[in-house]
Each structure stands twice: as C-alpha cells, then as structure tokens.
Amino acid sequence: MMYHNNMKMNMNAAEAKAKMRLLIIVAVVLAVGCAVLGVLMMKNSAYKTQAGQEFSRRMNGAVSSAVDEVNRMSGAAASDSMSRLARVRQYVYFMEQLNDLSMDLAGGENGRLVSAAAFKTLYADLDEFEKVLQGNKSSTLDVRTKLFEDLVALQGLLLGY
C-alpha cells in the first residue's frame, strides 16, 4: 500500500511540474505576443501620423499652386484663362482625393483635412468662372476674386490661420 501511495505522490509531483512548465510556456508566449502587438501598434500609429502629415503637406502644395494659377489670371477674359481654370479645377480635385484618402486611412471623419462644404464652394466658384468665360464676358474680375478669396481662406485653414 505504501508503494502505491508513494507512486501516486510521485505522479502528482510530476503532473504538478508538467502543469507548471505548461503555465510558464503559456506566460512566455503571451508576453512575447503582447510585445509583438505593442511594436506593431506603435509602427501603425507612426505610419498614420506620417501619412497624415504627408497628406497635409501635399494639400498645402496643391492649394498654393491653385492660388498661384488664379493670381496669374487677369481680371479680363484672356486666351489662357480657360486652361488656367482647368488647372485650378485639377488642383481642387486632387485636394478632394487627398482628403478622401486621409479619411479612409484614419477610418472616418478624424482624417478629414478639409470640410465637404469647402469643396462644394470651390466647385461652385469654378463653375461660375467657367460660365463667365463661356459667356464671352469681358470682365472676370468678380468671379476671379471670389475664387481667389475662397482658395486663400482654405489655405489659411490648412495652415492654421
């Protein structure tokens, strides 16, 4: 009987050691998993921050280029006005695409760089300017001024003015 109890105690001790080893292995695996997840989350956060800064930088460049194009237009309808207006429209479209990408990356409204209302206003300005040019009106000063002011306001918003 003593032999049976002694054998039982040895088996319990062996089972306890096996359970302890298993517990240590599980703890190590969990610790390594947590460390890996932490590193991945930090890299993801750094990527999002860097991407957001790049979107902002490119958005500022586009609005600055659009302002330059409008500055080069005269107050009168000129032969190059339509092509300059087309380039401004391209810059606005590019900014809208950057805004959408930024929102997609950030997972929604948190990534919005510019409000949808600002783009709506700019497109309305561009459409109005185009109508004036197609109507062969001699003066484009009013619509050019409105477009310029809206672009400068957007630029100020992006730069934090």
Side-chain angles (χ1 to χ4, degrees):
M1 189 76 152
M2 183 97 134
Y3 174 73
H4 189 271
N5 284 340
N6 204 9
M7 197 168 145
K8 203 173 191 182
M9 278 184 18
N10 284 341
M11 285 181 66
N12 284 341
E15 284 179 15
K17 282 184 181 180
K19 286 181 182 179
M20 185 58 84
R21 284 187 189 129
L22 182 61
L23 187 60
I24 289 171
I25 290 170
V26 168
V28 168
V29 168
L30 284 175
V32 168
C34 286
V36 168
L37 281 175
V39 168
L40 291 175
M41 287 179 67
M42 286 190 315
K43 284 184 177 182
N44 184 34
S45 177
Y47 171 78
K48 282 186 176 183
T49 300
Q50 195 172 25
Q53 290 170 345
E54 184 65 20
F55 287 138
S56 292
R57 188 182 68 73
R58 289 181 185 241
M59 181 84 71
N60 283 326
V63 76
S64 180
S65 296
V67 167
D68 288 345
E69 286 293 332
V70 174
N71 267 337
R72 291 184 184 140
M73 292 180 188
S74 67
S79 60
D80 68 341
S81 294
M82 194 61 95
S83 63
R84 288 195 186 278
L85 187 63
R87 283 193 292 272
V88 173
R89 189 178 293 276
Q90 287 175 340
Y91 288 124
V92 172
Y93 179 76
F94 176 64
M95 288 185 284
E96 187 175 31
Q97 296 305 305
L98 285 174
N99 200 48
D100 290 345
L101 284 171
S102 179
M103 288 172 52
D104 289 345
L105 181 65
E109 290 297 314
N110 290 338
R112 183 177 292 282
L113 301 170
V114 176
S115 72
F119 288 117
K120 186 176 179 179
T121 299
L122 289 173
Y123 283 124
D125 291 347
L126 292 166
D127 291 343
E128 183 63 29
F129 203 141
E130 189 173 348
K131 283 179 191 174
V132 168
L133 288 175
Q134 288 175 349
N136 291 327
K137 296 188 178 173
S138 59
S139 177
T140 60
L141 186 59
D142 291 340
V143 291
R144 185 183 81 76
T145 301
K146 174 84 169 86
L147 177 59
F148 178 78
E149 287 172 351
D150 288 339
L151 285 168
V152 169
L154 176 60
Q155 190 174 37
L157 178 75
L158 290 171
L159 295 174
Y161 297 142

